[in-house]
């Protein structure tokens, strides 16, 4: 799989990959099943505890420290998920601030002005700043089965990974429930109280939202949903095979338009590349568009792409955002399910 970023992927590969699976620059992100493998968790270092800490990640690697890590550095989306559990990091890497200095969508509820940003774009990671934080732990997601840590540059990874233990959480070829479970287990190992009312309520809301989406999808099987991501040159139609969010939604019964495997070959199985002249290839009743800042948003497409404005779903106002790289906390994922259920329930059959 390409090392493009799972957002809309800035470079052709990155954009393309991201777009397709819902992660434009990463090449894909989600797919298979949602049962958590009971192969990782904490040893020591929980709430009110001291002593050795360890956590077995999705690479099968066990990160260890003499005490619970305090100086934590994480990919922005992971840091945002940990924040929802009360765990704050010292530094982040990945999309954190927009060009106008505001918080990127992947930063969640964090105060980005209080964070040390090691790199805000693909390929950027200040090893010097990282070292200055005296890191105890580095955490990121993984969009392939090779153990590649998202947004950790290939050219400097050896220097980076020598400075502290690392944890990788897989968001590749499995369902959304897997990274949700794993991030919660990691947060608990770092001292989060996962039995708090806030956490328990968030999980119940997620479960309720999942059941509602299942019910709505069953009642509206005729509504065809297309998942897209836009760049100046191409429109990416994502398949569901590798993306954790789309694979989960599909398991709940959502009727997605699936590009043929042959068409997705160029992107490693994530998405199909369409020219803007051929953007009307598929008949969709509802379109979900990549919300990452690396992708062109619908409001700008309305101004710049005439073929986009002619799509039936666009003319009918049946276009919603897709959170291509979810913040993997139950608090942030429940609304995603609720919004999709609302959109499908309200959508009109167009053809």
């Amino acid at each position: 799989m390409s090392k493009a970023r799972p957002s809309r992927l800035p470079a052709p590969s990155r954009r393309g990959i991201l777009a397709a699976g819902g992660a434009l620059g990463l090449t894909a992100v989600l797919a298979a099943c949602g049962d958590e493998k009971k192969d990782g968790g904490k040893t020591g270092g929980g709430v009110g505890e001291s002593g050795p800490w360890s956590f077995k990640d999705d690479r099968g690697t066990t990160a260890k420290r003499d005490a619970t890590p305090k100086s934590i550095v994480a990919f922005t989306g992971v840091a945002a998920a940990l924040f929802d559990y009360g765990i704050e990091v010292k530094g982040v890497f990945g999309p954190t601030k927009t060009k106008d200095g505001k918080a990127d969508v992947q930063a969640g509820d964090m105060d980005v002005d209080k964070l040390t940003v090691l790199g805000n774009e693909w390929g950027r990671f200040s090893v010097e700043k990282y070292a200055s934080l005296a890191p105890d732990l580095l955490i990121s997601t993984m969009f392939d089965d090779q153990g590649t840590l998202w947004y950790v540059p290939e050219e400097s990874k050896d220097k980076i990974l020598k400075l502290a233990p690392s944890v990788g959480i897989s968001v590749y070829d499995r369902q959304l429930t897997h990274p949700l479970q794993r991030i919660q287990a990691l947060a608990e190992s770092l001292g989060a109280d996962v039995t708090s009312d806030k956490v328990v309520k968030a999980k119940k809301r997620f479960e309720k939202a999942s059941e509602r989406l299942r019910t709505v999808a069953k009642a509206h099987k005729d509504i065809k949903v297309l998942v897209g991501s836009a760049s100046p040159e191409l429109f990416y139609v994502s398949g569901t095979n590798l993306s954790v969010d789309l694979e989960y939604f599909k398991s709940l019964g959502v009727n997605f338009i699936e590009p043929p495997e042959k068409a997705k070959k160029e992107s490693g199985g994530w998405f199909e590349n369409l020219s803007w002249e051929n953007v009307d290839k598929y008949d969709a009743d509802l379109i979900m568009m990549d919300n990452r800042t690396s992708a062109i948003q619908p409001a700008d497409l309305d101004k710049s792409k005439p073929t986009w404005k002619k799509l039936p779903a666009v003319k009918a106002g049946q276009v919603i955002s897709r959170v291509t790289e979810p913040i993997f906390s139950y608090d942030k994922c429940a609304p995603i399910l609720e919004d999709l259920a609302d959109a499908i329930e309200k959508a009109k059959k167009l053809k």
Side-chain angles (χ1 to χ4, degrees):
M1 137 184 310
S2 152
K3 289 197 177 153
R5 320 133 245 252
S7 7
R8 133 235 183 191
L9 291 191
S13 49
R14 166 181 162 171
R15 258 176 200 170
I17 286 174
L18 216 53
L24 224 205
L26 179 73
T27 253
V29 220
L30 331 167
C33 71
D35 292 331
E36 175 183 7
K37 299 176 183 175
K38 302 193 176 185
D39 58 355
K42 71 166 184 174
T43 300
V47 180
E49 298 177 8
S50 61
W53 173 92
S54 68
F55 187 88
K56 188 175 182 181
D57 73 2
D58 290 341
R59 299 171 295 182
T61 299
T62 300
K64 298 179 181 180
R65 300 296 306 193
D66 291 338
T68 303
K70 298 299 181 185
S71 183
I72 302 168
V73 173
F75 172 69
T76 303
V78 173
L82 292 175
F83 185 85
D84 287 344
Y85 288 103
I87 304 298
E88 298 189 34
V89 305
K90 289 287 186 66
V92 296
F93 54 94
T96 306
K97 294 183 179 181
T98 58
K99 292 180 180 179
D100 58 4
K102 295 181 180 179
D104 188 273
V105 292
Q106 296 190 60
D109 295 332
M110 296 187 295
D111 184 343
V112 296
D113 292 328
K114 293 182 178 180
L115 296 170
T116 297
V117 182
L118 306 181
N120 198 61
E121 300 174 358
W122 183 256
R124 302 290 180 88
F125 189 115
S126 173
V127 181
E128 293 74 18
K129 277 187 180 181
Y130 180 55
S132 73
L133 295 174
D136 294 324
L137 182 66
L138 180 144
I139 312 167
S140 191
T141 48
M142 300 182 298
F143 283 89
D144 61 25
D145 56 5
Q146 306 301 310
T148 305
L149 297 176
W150 194 233
Y151 268 79
V152 174
E154 184 69 24
E155 59 273 17
S156 55
K157 71 174 184 180
D158 291 341
K159 291 180 180 179
I160 293 168
L161 298 180
K162 283 180 181 177
L163 295 174
S166 61
V167 165
I169 301 298
S170 181
V171 293
Y172 173 75
D173 195 24
R174 58 205 67 212
Q175 289 181 14
L176 178 61
T177 44
H178 175 90
L180 282 171
Q181 292 162 354
R182 297 293 282 139
I183 290 290
Q184 179 170 298
L186 176 59
E188 182 179 17
S189 81
L190 295 170
D193 179 7
V194 299
T195 64
S196 69
D197 285 346
K198 177 184 176 183
V199 173
V200 171
K201 287 179 180 178
K203 187 173 183 180
K204 287 183 178 177
R205 181 182 175 186
F206 175 84
E207 292 169 345
K208 182 178 180 181
S210 295
E211 286 310 308
R212 177 165 180 258
L213 179 55
R214 187 194 303 277
T215 299
V216 169
K218 183 177 181 179
H220 299 272
K221 291 180 180 179
D222 59 332
I223 298 298
K224 293 185 292 184
V225 181
L226 182 144
V227 180
S229 184
S231 74
E233 303 82 16
L234 296 170
F235 183 77
Y236 309 94
V237 179
S238 297
T240 61
N241 296 356
L242 300 175
S243 298
V244 291
D245 62 331
L246 303 183
E247 188 64 26
Y248 185 57
F249 302 156
K250 182 173 68 173
S251 77
L252 296 175
V254 176
N255 180 15
F256 286 107
I257 290 171
E258 293 279 2
E261 290 302 316
K262 185 177 180 180
K264 295 187 294 180
K265 189 175 181 180
E266 184 180 343
S267 69
W270 294 94
F271 50 87
E272 176 182 7
N273 299 335
L274 293 180
S275 67
W276 283 103
E277 289 74 19
N278 295 315
V279 72
D280 61 351
K281 178 178 179 179
Y282 300 103
D283 294 329
D285 302 301
L286 177 66
I287 299 176
M288 299 176 69
M289 288 296 291
D290 188 349
N291 77 329
R292 288 171 298 183
T293 51
S294 57
I296 301 177
Q297 297 305 303
D300 294 315
L301 291 176
D302 289 342
K303 303 172 186 175
S304 62
K305 300 296 181 183
T307 52
W308 162 261
K309 293 193 296 183
K310 293 179 182 178
L311 296 177
V314 175
K315 291 196 288 187
Q318 294 180 178
V319 178
I320 64 171
S321 291
R322 176 203 176 187
V323 183
T324 302
E325 288 188 66
I327 293 170
F328 294 108
S329 70
Y330 292 104
D331 181 71
K332 293 295 182 294
C333 287
I336 296 173
L337 293 160
E338 293 167 348
D339 290 346
L340 180 55
D342 287 344
I344 293 174
E345 192 169 50
K346 295 174 183 177
K348 296 178 181 178
K349 184 66 183 172
L350 301 177
K351 283 191 177 182

